[in-house]
mmCIF file with all atom_site columns, all heavy atoms in Angstrom:
data_model
loop_
_atom_site.group_PDB
_atom_site.id
_atom_site.type_symbol
_atom_site.label_atom_id
_atom_site.label_alt_id
_atom_site.label_comp_id
_atom_site.label_asym_id
_atom_site.label_entity_id
_atom_site.label_seq_id
_atom_site.pdbx_PDB_ins_code
_atom_site.Cartn_x
_atom_site.Cartn_y
_atom_site.Cartn_z
_atom_site.occupancy
_atom_site.B_iso_or_equiv
_atom_site.pdbx_formal_charge
_atom_site.auth_seq_id
_atom_site.auth_comp_id
_atom_site.auth_asym_id
_atom_site.auth_atom_id
_atom_site.pdbx_PDB_model_num
ATOM 1  N N   . ASP A 1 299 ? -8.702  -6.536 25.842 1.00 98.00 ? 299 ASP A N   1
ATOM 2  C CA  . ASP A 1 299 ? -9.830  -7.353 26.299 1.00 98.00 ? 299 ASP A CA  1
ATOM 3  C C   . ASP A 1 299 ? -10.870 -6.405 26.905 1.00 98.00 ? 299 ASP A C   1
ATOM 4  O O   . ASP A 1 299 ? -10.693 -5.173 26.863 1.00 98.00 ? 299 ASP A O   1
ATOM 5  C CB  . ASP A 1 299 ? -9.368  -8.441 27.283 1.00 98.00 ? 299 ASP A CB  1
ATOM 6  C CG  . ASP A 1 299 ? -8.762  -7.864 28.553 1.00 98.00 ? 299 ASP A CG  1
ATOM 7  O OD1 . ASP A 1 299 ? -8.901  -6.641 28.801 1.00 98.00 ? 299 ASP A OD1 1
ATOM 8  O OD2 . ASP A 1 299 ? -8.135  -8.620 29.318 1.00 98.00 ? 299 ASP A OD2 1
ATOM 9  N N   . LEU A 1 300 ? -11.939 -6.946 27.460 1.00 98.00 ? 300 LEU A N   1
ATOM 10 C CA  . LEU A 1 300 ? -13.043 -6.085 27.918 1.00 98.00 ? 300 LEU A CA  1
ATOM 11 C C   . LEU A 1 300 ? -12.578 -5.047 28.950 1.00 98.00 ? 300 LEU A C   1
ATOM 12 O O   . LEU A 1 300 ? -12.872 -3.857 28.816 1.00 98.00 ? 300 LEU A O   1
ATOM 13 C CB  . LEU A 1 300 ? -14.186 -6.960 28.473 1.00 98.00 ? 300 LEU A CB  1
ATOM 14 C CG  . LEU A 1 300 ? -15.396 -6.224 29.055 1.00 98.00 ? 300 LEU A CG  1
ATOM 15 C CD1 . LEU A 1 300 ? -16.005 -5.235 28.070 1.00 98.00 ? 300 LEU A CD1 1
ATOM 16 C CD2 . LEU A 1 300 ? -16.468 -7.229 29.502 1.00 98.00 ? 300 LEU A CD2 1
ATOM 17 N N   . ASP A 1 301 ? -11.831 -5.476 29.966 1.00 98.00 ? 301 ASP A N   1
ATOM 18 C CA  . ASP A 1 301 ? -11.464 -4.524 31.016 1.00 98.00 ? 301 ASP A CA  1
ATOM 19 C C   . ASP A 1 301 ? -10.441 -3.492 30.555 1.00 98.00 ? 301 ASP A C   1
ATOM 20 O O   . ASP A 1 301 ? -10.537 -2.313 30.915 1.00 98.00 ? 301 ASP A O   1
ATOM 21 C CB  . ASP A 1 301 ? -10.973 -5.262 32.273 1.00 98.00 ? 301 ASP A CB  1
ATOM 22 C CG  . ASP A 1 301 ? -12.152 -5.840 33.047 1.00 98.00 ? 301 ASP A CG  1
ATOM 23 O OD1 . ASP A 1 301 ? -13.284 -5.337 32.872 1.00 98.00 ? 301 ASP A OD1 1
ATOM 24 O OD2 . ASP A 1 301 ? -11.950 -6.798 33.813 1.00 98.00 ? 301 ASP A OD2 1
ATOM 25 N N   . SER A 1 302 ? -9.459  -3.914 29.736 1.00 98.00 ? 302 SER A N   1
ATOM 26 C CA  . SER A 1 302 ? -8.487  -2.904 29.276 1.00 98.00 ? 302 SER A CA  1
ATOM 27 C C   . SER A 1 302 ? -9.153  -1.927 28.309 1.00 98.00 ? 302 SER A C   1
ATOM 28 O O   . SER A 1 302 ? -8.841  -0.740 28.284 1.00 98.00 ? 302 SER A O   1
ATOM 29 C CB  . SER A 1 302 ? -7.245  -3.556 28.664 1.00 98.00 ? 302 SER A CB  1
ATOM 30 O OG  . SER A 1 302 ? -7.588  -4.465 27.666 1.00 98.00 ? 302 SER A OG  1
ATOM 31 N N   . MET A 1 303 ? -10.132 -2.424 27.547 1.00 98.00 ? 303 MET A N   1
ATOM 32 C CA  . MET A 1 303 ? -10.865 -1.525 26.652 1.00 98.00 ? 303 MET A CA  1
ATOM 33 C C   . MET A 1 303 ? -11.709 -0.532 27.461 1.00 98.00 ? 303 MET A C   1
ATOM 34 O O   . MET A 1 303 ? -11.732 0.668  27.170 1.00 98.00 ? 303 MET A O   1
ATOM 35 C CB  . MET A 1 303 ? -11.776 -2.352 25.735 1.00 98.00 ? 303 MET A CB  1
ATOM 36 C CG  . MET A 1 303 ? -12.660 -1.496 24.857 1.00 98.00 ? 303 MET A CG  1
ATOM 37 S SD  . MET A 1 303 ? -13.647 -2.484 23.749 1.00 98.00 ? 303 MET A SD  1
ATOM 38 C CE  . MET A 1 303 ? -14.954 -3.035 24.845 1.00 98.00 ? 303 MET A CE  1
ATOM 39 N N   . THR A 1 304 ? -12.377 -1.030 28.488 1.00 98.00 ? 304 THR A N   1
ATOM 40 C CA  . THR A 1 304 ? -13.221 -0.150 29.311 1.00 98.00 ? 304 THR A CA  1
ATOM 41 C C   . THR A 1 304 ? -12.380 0.966  29.937 1.00 98.00 ? 304 THR A C   1
ATOM 42 O O   . THR A 1 304 ? -12.765 2.140  29.926 1.00 98.00 ? 304 THR A O   1
ATOM 43 C CB  . THR A 1 304 ? -13.925 -0.971 30.423 1.00 98.00 ? 304 THR A CB  1
ATOM 44 O OG1 . THR A 1 304 ? -14.827 -1.862 29.778 1.00 98.00 ? 304 THR A OG1 1
ATOM 45 C CG2 . THR A 1 304 ? -14.706 -0.091 31.384 1.00 98.00 ? 304 THR A CG2 1
ATOM 46 N N   . LYS A 1 305 ? -11.218 0.614  30.453 1.00 98.00 ? 305 LYS A N   1
ATOM 47 C CA  . LYS A 1 305 ? -10.335 1.609  31.076 1.00 98.00 ? 305 LYS A CA  1
ATOM 48 C C   . LYS A 1 305 ? -9.993  2.699  30.063 1.00 98.00 ? 305 LYS A C   1
ATOM 49 O O   . LYS A 1 305 ? -10.155 3.889  30.321 1.00 98.00 ? 305 LYS A O   1
ATOM 50 C CB  . LYS A 1 305 ? -9.066  0.895  31.578 1.00 98.00 ? 305 LYS A CB  1
ATOM 51 C CG  . LYS A 1 305 ? -8.103  1.769  32.321 1.00 98.00 ? 305 LYS A CG  1
ATOM 52 C CD  . LYS A 1 305 ? -7.016  0.892  32.946 1.00 98.00 ? 305 LYS A CD  1
ATOM 53 C CE  . LYS A 1 305 ? -6.034  1.701  33.777 1.00 98.00 ? 305 LYS A CE  1
ATOM 54 N NZ  . LYS A 1 305 ? -5.196  2.588  32.994 1.00 98.00 ? 305 LYS A NZ  1
ATOM 55 N N   . GLU A 1 306 ? -9.546  2.269  28.886 1.00 98.00 ? 306 GLU A N   1
ATOM 56 C CA  . GLU A 1 306 ? -9.128  3.214  27.841 1.00 98.00 ? 306 GLU A CA  1
ATOM 57 C C   . GLU A 1 306 ? -10.319 4.037  27.324 1.00 98.00 ? 306 GLU A C   1
ATOM 58 O O   . GLU A 1 306 ? -10.227 5.250  27.144 1.00 98.00 ? 306 GLU A O   1
ATOM 59 C CB  . GLU A 1 306 ? -8.481  2.406  26.702 1.00 98.00 ? 306 GLU A CB  1
ATOM 60 C CG  . GLU A 1 306 ? -8.254  3.194  25.443 1.00 98.00 ? 306 GLU A CG  1
ATOM 61 C CD  . GLU A 1 306 ? -6.789  3.394  25.095 1.00 98.00 ? 306 GLU A CD  1
ATOM 62 O OE1 . GLU A 1 306 ? -5.925  3.119  25.941 1.00 98.00 ? 306 GLU A OE1 1
ATOM 63 O OE2 . GLU A 1 306 ? -6.548  3.841  23.963 1.00 98.00 ? 306 GLU A OE2 1
ATOM 64 N N   . MET A 1 307 ? -11.455 3.372  27.094 1.00 98.00 ? 307 MET A N   1
ATOM 65 C CA  . MET A 1 307 ? -12.639 4.079  26.588 1.00 98.00 ? 307 MET A CA  1
ATOM 66 C C   . MET A 1 307 ? -13.062 5.176  27.572 1.00 98.00 ? 307 MET A C   1
ATOM 67 O O   . MET A 1 307 ? -13.334 6.307  27.172 1.00 98.00 ? 307 MET A O   1
ATOM 68 C CB  . MET A 1 307 ? -13.822 3.116  26.423 1.00 98.00 ? 307 MET A CB  1
ATOM 69 C CG  . MET A 1 307 ? -13.944 2.442  25.094 1.00 98.00 ? 307 MET A CG  1
ATOM 70 S SD  . MET A 1 307 ? -14.161 3.545  23.687 1.00 98.00 ? 307 MET A SD  1
ATOM 71 C CE  . MET A 1 307 ? -15.881 3.982  23.772 1.00 98.00 ? 307 MET A CE  1
ATOM 72 N N   . LEU A 1 308 ? -13.150 4.822  28.856 1.00 98.00 ? 308 LEU A N   1
ATOM 73 C CA  . LEU A 1 308 ? -13.629 5.807  29.829 1.00 98.00 ? 308 LEU A CA  1
ATOM 74 C C   . LEU A 1 308 ? -12.659 6.983  29.945 1.00 98.00 ? 308 LEU A C   1
ATOM 75 O O   . LEU A 1 308 ? -13.075 8.142  30.026 1.00 98.00 ? 308 LEU A O   1
ATOM 76 C CB  . LEU A 1 308 ? -13.876 5.143  31.188 1.00 98.00 ? 308 LEU A CB  1
ATOM 77 C CG  . LEU A 1 308 ? -15.081 4.176  31.220 1.00 98.00 ? 308 LEU A CG  1
ATOM 78 C CD1 . LEU A 1 308 ? -15.155 3.440  32.551 1.00 98.00 ? 308 LEU A CD1 1
ATOM 79 C CD2 . LEU A 1 308 ? -16.406 4.889  30.950 1.00 98.00 ? 308 LEU A CD2 1
ATOM 80 N N   . GLU A 1 309 ? -11.358 6.685  29.914 1.00 98.00 ? 309 GLU A N   1
ATOM 81 C CA  . GLU A 1 309 ? -10.360 7.776  30.008 1.00 98.00 ? 309 GLU A CA  1
ATOM 82 C C   . GLU A 1 309 ? -10.449 8.709  28.804 1.00 98.00 ? 309 GLU A C   1
ATOM 83 O O   . GLU A 1 309 ? -10.572 9.926  28.945 1.00 98.00 ? 309 GLU A O   1
ATOM 84 C CB  . GLU A 1 309 ? -8.950  7.179  30.034 1.00 98.00 ? 309 GLU A CB  1
ATOM 85 C CG  . GLU A 1 309 ? -8.464  6.833  31.429 1.00 98.00 ? 309 GLU A CG  1
ATOM 86 C CD  . GLU A 1 309 ? -7.165  6.025  31.392 1.00 98.00 ? 309 GLU A CD  1
ATOM 87 O OE1 . GLU A 1 309 ? -6.408  6.097  30.382 1.00 98.00 ? 309 GLU A OE1 1
ATOM 88 O OE2 . GLU A 1 309 ? -6.947  5.296  32.375 1.00 98.00 ? 309 GLU A OE2 1
ATOM 89 N N   . LYS A 1 310 ? -10.415 8.116  27.606 1.00 98.00 ? 310 LYS A N   1
ATOM 90 C CA  . LYS A 1 310 ? -10.371 8.915  26.379 1.00 98.00 ? 310 LYS A CA  1
ATOM 91 C C   . LYS A 1 310 ? -11.693 9.644  26.130 1.00 98.00 ? 310 LYS A C   1
ATOM 92 O O   . LYS A 1 310 ? -11.718 10.788 25.697 1.00 98.00 ? 310 LYS A O   1
ATOM 93 C CB  . LYS A 1 310 ? -10.031 8.021  25.170 1.00 98.00 ? 310 LYS A CB  1
ATOM 94 C CG  . LYS A 1 310 ? -8.657  7.388  25.236 1.00 98.00 ? 310 LYS A CG  1
ATOM 95 C CD  . LYS A 1 310 ? -7.598  8.367  24.779 1.00 98.00 ? 310 LYS A CD  1
ATOM 96 C CE  . LYS A 1 310 ? -6.158  7.947  24.980 1.00 98.00 ? 310 LYS A CE  1
ATOM 97 N NZ  . LYS A 1 310 ? -5.702  6.767  24.302 1.00 98.00 ? 310 LYS A NZ  1
#
Side-chain angles (χ1 to χ4, degrees):
D299 62 12
L300 177 55
D301 283 338
S302 53
M303 175 177 79
T304 294
K305 184 171 183 292
E306 168 114 348
M307 270 299 281
L308 290 173
E309 272 170 23
K310 296 279 171 62

